[in-house]
Amino acid sequence: MNANDAAVIIGAYEHPGRELPDKSLAQIHAEVALGAVADAGLTLDDVDGFFCGHDAPGYGGGWVTMAEYLGLRNLTYMDSTESGGASPIYHVSHAAAAIAAGKCSVALITLAGKPRTGVQPGGGGPARPEDAFEMAMYTGAGLVSTYALAAQRHMYEFGTTSEQLAEIKVAASIHASHNPNAFLQKVMTVEDVVNSPLVADPLHRADCCVVTDGGGAVVVVSREVARTLKRQPVRIMGQGEAGKLTNGGRVDLTYTPAVWSGPRAFQQAGVSVQDVDYVSVYDSFTITVLEILEDLGFCEKGQGGRFVMDGALVAPHGRLPFNTDGGGLANNHPAHRGGITKIIEAVRQLRGEANPGVQVPDCEIALVHGNGGDLGTRMRAATMILGRESA
């Protein structure tokens, strides 16, 4: 059975908190898990598949400890695939495949983090084989600076400007102003963004994502289970996964793995960019969004700066509404990983449950894209096409 025919997303929940000093990381995972199964009309006793990344604390990539903490006694399938911010999107794809193979029928996917008020797991582990060769030159170059290198190169190659990058943050801030839970509530202008302090030239503070506690969860079920529930399902139409390597040091900073994951997802879904009504695009930085939109085919390579101008990304009536919850740039980036919130907002849009001020009219097809890794070195990515389905 085709995985896309076998499974649907039936539950989704985002933690409302952005600063959670009094909650443990395991507690946040539990709260989003309970929220998602309740949204689906299920309980934790119904869950027989559990998926989490290394943001989950404990043994076995987190899933062993969290399964015990949650009291998941009926598990027949577990997955702790680790792909950074793309992990939850990988997990949805893997859950659908597991359901199609008869390995489970109710899959729970969780993500949570406390980078704002606590310690975030997942950054340690054994040395990577490349460390002995790369770290001596990488020392002092933080994550922001490697993304800044990509932005500088894009500007050099294609004439992209800081003002064009700022348009992406402006759209995110407009959307966040409709979201009572968003970390940043103020609508920003292009001038506000380019006048914010430089962090790593040419990226300003406002070009960077927020740092928040919180998390989210989704529930993927078989169609047989979905038919017993009252919640509106969301179709999983297509998925694509890809990685971008360093090519022996000859790294092109102007593209992401979306150049491969996107076409694979579109081909499997049987749709094109012209059919997409809404996009949930990974937005660790403004340059991340711009390159992903190019790589997914919404505009030609090098034309992203022009594409995002004049309110193109602003919901509900922009040319390509994006991240209508405010995204990682203004709403929530729990665990330094934005993949789960991208899925959740796409589900809201397809159900017609986004905030009325940003709900895309007749939203039928949504694209979700997540990244993991570093645009300046090596990355992995996942693209997923979701569709509206009647209850």
Side-chain angles (χ1 to χ4, degrees):
M1 180 183 293
N2 187 301
N4 297 340
D5 297 327
V8 295
I9 298 174
I10 201 70
Y13 179 81
E14 180 183 6
H15 201 290
R18 303 293 179 264
E19 293 188 70
L20 302 168
D22 299 326
K23 293 184 183 293
S24 71
L25 185 55
Q27 186 177 357
I28 301 171
H29 271 275
E31 290 180 0
V32 298
L34 289 168
V37 295
D39 182 66
L42 297 164
T43 71
L44 291 177
D45 289 338
D46 298 306
V47 173
D48 57 2
F50 181 52
F51 298 71
C52 64
H54 290 185
D55 55 277
Y59 182 71
W63 79 260
V64 175
T65 297
M66 285 310 308
E68 183 172 20
Y69 187 88
L70 293 169
L72 302 178
R73 300 178 179 86
N74 302 314
L75 294 181
T76 58
Y77 194 86
M78 295 70 66
D79 187 332
S80 57
T81 297
E82 172 54 36
S83 292
S87 296
I89 303 168
Y90 277 74
H91 293 159
V92 170
S93 175
H94 296 181
I99 290 169
K103 301 290 187 180
C104 61
S105 60
V106 177
L108 170 65
I109 301 160
T110 67
L111 179 145
K114 279 176 62 72
R116 190 162 190 86
T117 63
V119 177
Q120 183 65 30
R128 300 166 297 183
E130 66 268 20
D131 283 353
F133 302 95
E134 295 183 358
M135 293 310 292
M137 301 188 69
Y138 194 75
T139 300
L143 183 67
V144 181
S145 60
T146 57
Y147 277 77
L149 285 173
Q152 285 281 21
R153 190 66 192 181
H154 203 280
M155 290 176 170
Y156 175 80
E157 292 277 356
F158 306 115
T160 307
T161 68
S162 292
E163 288 75 15
Q164 290 171 335
L165 291 178
E167 292 272 4
I168 298 168
K169 180 58 171 260
V170 169
S173 73
I174 291 171
H175 298 157
S177 71
H178 294 274
N179 180 355
N181 295 321
F183 184 75
L184 299 180
Q185 295 282 335
K186 177 185 176 182
V187 174
M188 301 189 74
T189 65
V190 169
E191 291 73 22
D192 291 333
V193 177
V194 298
N195 289 329
S196 64
L198 273 173
V199 179
D201 193 11
L203 296 181
H204 300 80
R205 183 171 64 194
D207 286 298
C208 307
C209 66
V210 297
V211 177
T212 55
D213 300 339
V218 296
V219 177
V220 181
V221 302
S222 68
R223 286 190 174 272
E224 289 74 19
V225 171
R227 283 193 284 269
T228 70
L229 303 171
K230 297 180 180 179
R231 205 66 172 101
Q232 181 178 357
V234 169
R235 296 169 58 203
I236 304 168
M237 300 175 63
Q239 311 99 29
E241 302 172 3
K244 176 188 174 184
L245 308 179
T246 60
N247 193 28
R250 297 179 294 275
V251 183
D252 185 339
L253 301 176
T254 64
Y255 72 93
T256 75
V259 296
W260 300 297
S261 64
R264 292 166 185 167
F266 279 117
Q267 182 180 25
Q268 190 177 85
V271 298
S272 70
V273 292
Q274 287 77 24
D275 299 309
V276 175
D277 300 306
Y278 165 78
V279 294
S280 279
V281 175
Y282 204 80
D283 56 348
S284 49
F285 302 91
T286 51
I287 184 62
T288 316
V289 175
L290 187 135
E291 290 199 8
I292 289 171
L293 292 178
E294 294 177 342
D295 295 340
L296 290 172
F298 290 104
C299 61
E300 294 183 7
K301 176 54 65 179
Q303 298 301 308
R306 296 175 180 84
F307 180 82
V308 301
M309 293 180 67
D310 303 321
L313 304 181
V314 178
H317 301 300
R319 182 163 59 248
L320 185 67
F322 101 120
N323 297 7
T324 46
D325 59 342
L329 288 170
N331 170 37
N332 194 11
H333 198 68
H336 305 308
R337 298 164 173 231
I340 196 74
T341 55
K342 301 298 177 284
I343 301 169
I344 293 167
E345 184 66 6
V347 169
R348 292 184 187 124
Q349 281 287 348
L350 292 167
R351 287 175 170 175
E353 296 173 354
N355 187 286
V358 296
Q359 175 65 54
V360 176
D362 300 319
C363 186
E364 294 186 359
I365 296 178
L367 179 147
V368 179
H369 182 85
N371 276 353
D374 186 343
L375 185 55
T377 55
R378 53 185 62 78
M379 302 185 75
R380 57 270 196 203
T383 308
M384 182 165 58
I385 311 294
L386 301 177
R388 184 174 66 187
E389 185 166 307
S390 299

